[in-house]
Amino acid sequence: MSIAGLVRESGLTRPTVYRLLASLAAEGLLDHDHKSGNWILGPEMFLLGSVAAARFPFEDLARPSLRRLAEETGESAFYSIRRGNETVCVLREEGSFPVRSFVLHEGVRFPLGVASAGTAMMAFLPEDEQDAILSGWEHHAGDFATGHTLEIVRGNLERTRLTGYSVNPGLVLEGSWGMAAAVFDALGRPVGALSLTGIEPRFRPERQEFLGKLLMEEAHKISSARPDPT
């Protein structure tokens, strides 16, 4: 992001933002791209991520499932985790189908109940947790509340509980569809979700059952392989 964008987003003065950026750059946490003028993540961020990765074995747990899903369906496959009342995409595997949806990629966050992964996780939360989110839905969903009205979300959650997998019929971006199945920890709590995304013709009703079955099978494999909570 440019310094002008950072000033705008942070609400801080330009001199203050510049001092903060310079301090972070001095520690290697940020770099300044002189060609674009943007500030970007520095090498120390990569090292920090590498150290943290040992605590979160997403790669070992989810990557094999993502590869199988991408190879068997041709769609792009993703693994998202729950962080509070949000979902965060942490892994992706591109499929072979040449036309793709670019709504989801590593680092993208959505409120629980938004998009297919968030719907899959929220559907299997305890009822009181769901009610707490739904009671303040417009504030929780923010800009996504327009496409994800309370009525639509309630219906999506109910269908997900019945089928075991969620379907997002282009609610985030028109024409970009997704499906997901939740991953559970040893106590039966939804902690992540496998999802497939692509264009609408690839997610016709006659194909959804096939995709949903694959998603649930792979999600079950990950759930069974997760270590017990400590």
Side-chain angles (χ1 to χ4, degrees):
M1 185 178 288
S2 68
I3 190 168
L6 290 165
V7 169
R8 182 178 61 252
E9 293 294 327
S10 67
L12 300 173
T13 65
R14 188 182 183 92
T16 298
V17 170
Y18 184 80
R19 284 197 300 272
L20 290 170
L21 292 171
S23 296
L24 291 168
E27 299 297 334
L29 297 171
L30 292 181
D31 273 336
H32 187 231
D33 184 346
H34 295 285
K35 185 176 181 179
S36 67
N38 289 338
W39 288 84
I40 57 178
L41 297 181
E44 290 296 327
M45 294 296 289
F46 175 79
L47 296 175
L48 286 172
S50 299
V51 173
R55 292 187 56 232
F56 306 99
F58 307 131
E59 186 74 28
D60 293 339
L61 287 172
R63 182 65 70 184
S65 289
L66 293 181
R67 286 175 177 155
R68 285 191 291 267
L69 286 168
E71 288 172 3
E72 190 157 355
T73 68
E75 315 304 333
S76 297
F78 303 85
Y79 184 60
S80 300
I81 60 172
R82 181 186 177 190
R83 280 291 174 264
N85 284 339
E86 290 184 317
T87 64
V88 185
C89 179
V90 293
L91 291 175
R92 70 174 172 181
E93 188 77 25
E94 298 292 359
S96 60
F97 190 70
V99 182
R100 298 170 183 169
S101 166
F102 295 97
V103 171
L104 197 57
H105 54 82
E106 293 99 323
V108 169
R109 295 172 179 264
F110 288 117
L112 277 175
V114 170
S116 58
T119 301
M121 285 186 248
M122 185 172 168
F124 296 101
L125 289 177
E127 189 174 345
D128 60 334
E129 290 188 43
Q130 290 189 45
D131 290 342
I133 293 173
L134 292 171
S135 65
W137 178 253
E138 289 194 2
H139 175 74
H140 168 78
D143 294 340
F144 297 103
T146 302
H148 295 73
T149 65
L150 188 58
E151 182 181 4
I152 288 174
V153 170
R154 288 187 183 277
N156 284 344
L157 294 173
E158 180 62 28
R159 282 188 291 274
T160 301
R161 286 189 288 269
L162 289 173
T163 61
Y165 56 84
S166 65
V167 178
N168 169 34
L171 299 179
V172 175
L173 179 66
E174 186 177 358
S176 178
W177 283 48
M179 294 180 60
V183 171
F184 300 89
D185 65 13
L187 299 179
R189 299 173 301 198
V191 293
L194 287 171
S195 58
L196 294 167
T197 68
I199 58 174
E200 181 178 357
R202 302 283 290 176
F203 290 81
R204 298 292 191 192
E206 59 270 18
R207 195 172 184 238
Q208 287 178 14
E209 186 175 350
F210 164 70
L211 296 176
K213 182 175 182 292
L214 292 179
L215 283 164
M216 289 191 293
E217 288 175 351
E218 294 298 338
H220 178 70
K221 290 175 183 176
I222 297 175
S223 300
S224 300
R226 287 184 62 88
D228 291 335
T230 56

